[in-house]
Amino acid sequence: MGKSRKPGRGGGAAEAVVEAVDGGLAELIPDRDRARAWTLLIDGAPQSHVDLGDPAYLSFEYQRRLGHVIDLAAPAGRPVHAVHLGGGALTLARYVAATRPRSTQQVVERDAALVQLVRRELPLETNARIRVRSADARDGLAKVSDGWADLVITDVFSGARTPAHLTSTEFLDEIRRVLKPGGTYAANLADGPPLAHLRGQIATAAARFPELALVADPAVLRGKRFGNAVLVASDHPLPVAELTRRAATDPHPGRVEHGRTLVDFTGGASAVTDAAAVASPAPPPSVFR
């Protein structure tokens, strides 16, 4: 299937871009409220929101929470070395470039056709210092040098599910290998009741990192609905108090769990290994209605 454009609303309005990519049907939908902003959907599931006029603006609640992690990963404005596993519309890489100029970033995105679409329709700033590699996330991570990264962010979904090989202790061993001492790892996770996947991912991270925090909507943590949770990990103490304050003041407030409360939340779940790993659960159809 080739690409097509849907007529925009009103004269001169931006048009939606619809194009087949490796992962399904991609749609770039213009934001009627922000002149140069777009939402990326894959097979109808929202993936990213980008404002080319203000790349420091984060629309999705889970991306705002990851933005808080980015803000607190180093002193304000200091350049960082960042690895992004999963690219989407490169929202978070653009955010780092905007808020931490002169940062050096590597993005690993398996969907080469999606990368081509995003580069063409939502071009990066020429001085952004963002390298995009089309590869499987774990294969791409293996090419990153030991101790290179201040920050690693995982936001990988295939058919709205996190692939199994990105959920294991062996995967986190690779994350730890590329992180500098004191570096920060953050992962966007998605789960719903009974939260077995989320509990297992916290247990897996706890097997490899001494410091953990989880940011999520309270209703998700109570198992009331399907949703996203941001898991943060490091070998150094995390800025839990400031992360808690920022999450609580978001338009959709989030709760931060850490320490003994977070360990208790796992309910005795075991760490996941490659041999036993499974993909995260598929979201119910009502999530995207």
Side-chain angles (χ1 to χ4, degrees):
M1 182 186 297
K3 67 179 179 179
S4 63
R5 290 182 179 267
K6 295 180 179 178
R9 296 179 176 87
E15 296 179 335
V17 180
V18 182
E19 187 166 325
V21 295
D22 299 339
L25 187 67
E27 298 176 82
L28 287 172
I29 308 297
D31 186 332
R32 289 182 292 175
D33 298 320
R34 302 181 73 89
R36 298 185 62 207
W38 300 80
T39 298
L40 169 67
L41 293 84
I42 304 290
D43 287 341
Q47 301 287 326
S48 304
H49 180 279
V50 169
D51 188 336
L52 297 179
D54 181 11
Y57 173 78
L58 299 175
S59 175
F60 292 0
E61 64 181 48
Y62 87 84
Q63 290 184 329
R64 282 197 300 273
R65 291 165 187 164
L66 287 168
H68 299 326
V69 175
I70 293 167
D71 292 344
L72 298 173
R78 176 185 292 178
V80 295
H81 286 179
V83 176
H84 303 264
L85 303 179
L90 308 178
T91 304
L92 292 171
R94 298 174 201 264
Y95 181 85
V96 172
T99 60
R100 298 184 175 279
R102 302 182 307 284
S103 292
T104 303
Q105 302 185 74
Q106 300 184 48
V107 179
V108 183
E109 169 56 59
R110 182 172 187 166
D111 195 327
L114 176 61
V115 170
Q116 185 178 26
L117 169 66
V118 169
R119 282 187 174 279
R120 185 185 71 237
E121 300 291 340
L122 308 175
L124 291 165
E125 296 288 340
T126 55
N127 61 349
R129 298 177 68 168
I130 298 170
R131 177 187 177 186
V132 184
R133 177 185 293 123
S134 296
D136 171 81
R138 197 151 152 181
D139 292 343
L141 185 65
K143 298 184 186 308
V144 180
S145 301
D146 293 3
W148 183 84
D150 299 289
L151 179 66
V152 178
I153 296 175
T154 299
D155 185 15
V156 181
F157 288 87
S158 176
R161 303 176 71 183
T162 301
H165 68 299
L166 305 183
T167 67
S168 66
T169 51
E170 291 90 341
F171 171 64
L172 291 186
D173 287 337
E174 276 293 285
I175 296 287
R176 289 215 61 168
R177 179 187 64 77
V178 305
L179 278 174
K180 297 176 183 177
T184 303
Y185 172 61
N188 176 32
L189 308 174
D191 199 9
L195 299 178
H197 173 71
L198 183 57
R199 297 180 203 278
Q201 287 304 285
I202 296 167
T204 304
R208 292 298 183 264
F209 289 94
E211 302 290 336
L212 299 179
L214 186 76
V215 192
D217 185 297
V220 173
L221 292 177
R222 291 195 301 268
K224 299 297 186 182
R225 69 173 182 85
F226 193 98
N228 295 86
V230 170
L231 180 62
V232 191
S234 180
D235 61 2
H236 282 41
L238 294 165
V240 172
E242 181 61 16
L243 183 61
T244 299
R245 186 190 70 78
R246 293 183 181 218
T249 56
D250 272 340
H252 297 281
R255 192 169 85 207
V256 176
E257 298 288 5
H258 65 99
R260 172 52 55 185
T261 304
L262 186 57
V263 172
D264 290 346
F265 177 80
T266 65
S270 299
V272 176
T273 64
D274 275 347
V278 296
S280 67
S286 59
V287 168
F288 303 125
R289 286 176 188 163

